[in-house]
Amino acid sequence: MSVDPFADFAPNNTPFKPLIAAADGSNFTYESLHDRVPHILTDVINDFYHAVVDYSGPDADATVAEGKALIGELSKIKHEMVTNKPLTPLEDDGCGDIDTWNAWLGTYFPKATWYSTPFLTWETYLYRRIATVFGRSKYWNKFDFFAKKKESTFRASMVAVAKLCSRVDALTKESIDAKGSETKLHLAFIEMLHASLWGNQTDLSMFPDLSNEKLEEMQARISSGENNSKIVSNDTDKIWDIVKQMQSGRVDIVLDNSGFELLQDVLLAHWLVSVGYAGKVVFHPKRIPWYVSDVTNPDFHWLVNVAQDPEAIGASGMSDTDKDALKRLGRTWAGFLASNVWELKDELYWTGPYGYRFLPTVGKDVWDNELTKSDVVVFKGDLNYRKLIYDLEWPVTTPFVDAIGPIATDPRAPAIVALRTSKCDTITGVDAERAEKLFKAQKNWMYSGEYGVIQFSPGRWKK
């Protein structure tokens, strides 16, 4: 039986060293804090500046004046970050979670500065603080400061999007016809699950300058299966052993990135429902703009609307066959949403300060009322993985089930699946021999975004 290796865990009391920026600048945490994330914040400021100066709608003078003041606040955050100032309490934006955030900071990190604080702490704090800048404003409180980048990247790859949808449309029909052949269904499930995994490579918080050409290269590797040799921990067959038993079950997907990754997640949900394994899929997006490209409710509906009417965003170059398949799937998805076969639930916990081992306690409402009612919960992407295990210098061979602790051992726990391409130097569940070869071959393998994991906790399905 698995044993929780740190039953007395607290955010500031962990059994392994947390990821903190190295004083000599030698680790990925330092690189992120010193270079990568300030670059992202600079992009936010520059993009918002153009939105402000180009604004010509109602109350233009007041809106522009307020926008310029917000630019000053964003610039202040960047200055505090690069000069290693303390993490100050968040100002209330009315979202409902600021008391939780500030109590957490005061309890666990009362004297924290940017460079003395664990990676997961300062990074989530940053995005929550950016959101408060807009959330407290009068004219810009609905503004998604990442929306333009998210939508433009997806819009530019519509030919590949339509081609992928055509492939999944055909695969779904083949799977429905193959209901008596477990082998064919197993192979189809592998294709869909692995595509959802590798969609996580299209992460604008990790690759803010992702070009359309690079995106199409990624899409081609995903579709061909070329990436699958880079899955360093693979529980696909264990997951299939549960899915194949389900009849109109419930699947929850805790979403990560919008755009192409969201499309892969939606296609996985489409296949699960259409073939009959799931009768209900609950998607969990973010309530506020988060980590550049994370899915919000509007992002999800935008994708479904675009699928139904790609010409509305000027999409062209698609074959008639692919375009018809895209529109057909879009109409199906709109129907799933209208009939509540698919639901969106954007709980605040996903943008809160606590990791997921606290779901049964701090996140009790989400755990008791949602996740424990599910058969399988899929956590997508790098940040969700880091919040599952925490940003620690884990021995890489630590079993994933041990690392996630209470959400694995709760007797009501659903099966938990983590689909993650690794973009941070923390990982668990990797075979010692495989890890040794990886470290010898590529020093940065854990945060290059080239390698992935498909990891699994059986929860109450455990035999």
Side-chain angles (χ1 to χ4, degrees):
M1 180 177 178
S2 295
V3 177
D4 183 353
F6 47 120
D8 296 329
F9 176 92
N12 62 347
N13 179 37
T14 57
F16 302 106
K17 184 181 176 183
L19 302 182
I20 294 176
D24 62 1
S26 61
N27 64 0
F28 179 65
T29 306
Y30 179 92
E31 177 187 327
S32 295
L33 182 54
H34 189 263
D35 299 313
R36 182 176 62 85
V37 177
H39 173 67
I40 290 170
L41 188 49
T42 298
D43 284 348
V44 170
I45 293 168
N46 290 340
D47 289 347
F48 183 54
Y49 170 80
H50 290 294
V52 170
V53 298
D54 292 342
Y55 182 81
S56 59
D59 299 314
D61 290 345
T63 302
V64 169
E66 184 182 62
K68 290 179 178 179
L70 300 186
I71 291 169
E73 290 192 48
L74 294 171
S75 300
K76 180 183 177 184
I77 296 172
K78 181 181 175 182
H79 174 75
E80 291 176 9
M81 179 193 305
V82 299
T83 56
N84 195 27
K85 295 294 190 292
L87 272 60
T88 57
L90 297 173
E91 294 187 56
D92 195 350
D93 59 1
C95 197
D97 62 346
I98 296 300
D99 287 347
T100 299
W101 264 100
N102 287 336
W104 179 82
L105 280 170
T107 300
Y108 300 114
F109 302 102
K111 298 180 180 179
T113 63
W114 291 85
Y115 279 81
S116 69
T117 303
F119 194 169
L120 193 60
T121 298
W122 65 255
E123 194 175 32
T124 52
Y125 167 85
L126 168 67
Y127 286 102
R128 188 64 189 90
R129 186 166 165 194
I130 293 172
T132 68
V133 171
F134 291 92
R136 290 182 290 107
S137 70
K138 178 178 180 180
Y139 297 105
W140 298 95
N141 60 351
K142 300 296 183 185
F143 182 74
D144 182 348
F145 35 93
F146 298 130
K148 183 178 178 181
K149 186 180 286 285
K150 289 186 284 191
E151 292 179 5
S152 63
T153 304
F154 190 77
R155 182 183 290 111
S157 58
M158 285 302 297
V159 172
V161 164
K163 189 173 295 185
L164 176 62
C165 287
S166 184
R167 164 60 187 156
V168 172
D169 188 38
L171 181 64
T172 302
K173 291 172 183 174
E174 292 169 11
S175 299
I176 292 170
D177 292 341
K179 282 294 282 184
S181 172
E182 185 179 322
T183 299
K184 289 182 179 179
L185 291 168
H186 186 191
L187 290 173
F189 175 73
I190 291 171
E191 180 175 338
M192 298 305 304
L193 191 74
H194 288 198
S196 182
L197 163 68
W198 292 117
N200 182 236
Q201 286 188 318
T202 57
D203 181 347
L204 296 177
S205 71
M206 182 67 184
F207 308 112
D209 299 317
L210 188 66
S211 67
N212 298 325
E213 292 78 11
K214 187 69 69 175
L215 179 63
E216 290 191 3
E217 287 176 19
M218 286 182 175
Q219 291 170 338
R221 288 197 300 272
I222 291 165
S223 299
S224 69
E226 179 185 335
N227 280 348
N228 293 342
S229 63
K230 294 191 173 183
I231 302 175
V232 299
S233 177
N234 190 350
D235 288 335
T236 298
D237 288 345
K238 294 177 183 177
I239 300 164
W240 170 245
D241 284 342
I242 288 176
V243 169
K244 71 182 182 182
Q245 300 177 54
M246 291 166 48
Q247 296 181 2
S248 296
R250 171 170 165 169
V251 175
D252 285 53
I253 304 177
V254 182
L255 297 168
D256 190 34
N257 296 301
S258 59
F260 188 66
E261 180 178 357
L262 174 59
L263 175 68
Q264 299 283 16
D265 301 338
V266 165
L267 289 170
L268 173 62
H270 172 87
W271 186 87
L272 289 168
V273 170
S274 299
V275 181
Y277 295 115
K280 179 85 168 180
V281 177
V282 180
F283 297 93
H284 299 270
K286 307 301 191 297
R287 191 175 299 184
I288 56 176
W290 193 248
Y291 275 68
V292 184
S293 49
D294 276 33
V295 183
T296 61
N297 270 295
D299 294 331
F300 194 103
H301 290 291
W302 183 85
L303 184 144
V304 173
N305 291 336
V306 166
Q308 294 178 87
D309 186 11
E311 291 91 348
I313 62 165
S316 61
M318 300 170 282
S319 72
D320 288 342
T321 299
D322 292 348
K323 182 167 64 174
D324 289 346
L326 174 63
K327 290 183 174 181
R328 186 163 51 249
L329 292 189
R331 290 191 297 270
T332 299
W333 301 339
F336 286 160
L337 288 168
S339 62
N340 286 326
V341 172
W342 286 1
E343 284 192 76
L344 305 183
K345 298 193 175 183
D346 58 354
E347 299 92 348
L348 281 172
Y349 194 86
W350 312 120
T351 52
Y354 286 91
Y356 298 160
R357 65 171 24 247
F358 292 102
L359 273 163
T361 50
V362 180
K364 189 174 176 60
D365 286 349
V366 180
W367 184 248
D368 289 352
N369 298 329
E370 297 297 337
L371 302 189
T372 58
K373 297 183 185 304
S374 188
D375 293 297
V376 178
V377 178
V378 181
F379 287 89
K380 285 300 310 291
D382 191 71
L383 176 62
N384 280 324
Y385 186 87
R386 292 163 60 197
K387 295 189 87 170
L388 280 167
I389 70 167
Y390 266 85
D391 270 3
L392 307 179
E393 294 182 2
W394 286 99
V396 296
T397 57
T398 305
F400 173 72
V401 172
D402 288 351
I404 65 175
I407 61 172
T409 57
D410 188 317
R412 305 165 299 156
I416 288 174
V417 175
L419 303 180
R420 177 231 194 172
T421 56
S422 188
K423 304 161 197 162
C424 180
D425 46 352
T426 185
I427 200 166
T428 62
V430 180
D431 175 77
E433 184 177 349
R434 181 74 187 271
E436 184 179 359
K437 290 179 180 178
L438 287 165
F439 279 118
K440 286 181 179 178
Q442 187 173 343
K443 182 181 177 182
N444 71 338
W445 71 271
M446 276 198 285
Y447 54 91
S448 67
E450 297 175 37
Y451 295 90
V453 298
I454 299 175
Q455 293 178 329
F456 165 76
S457 166
R460 63 177 183 269
W461 291 85
K462 186 173 183 180
K463 297 177 182 177

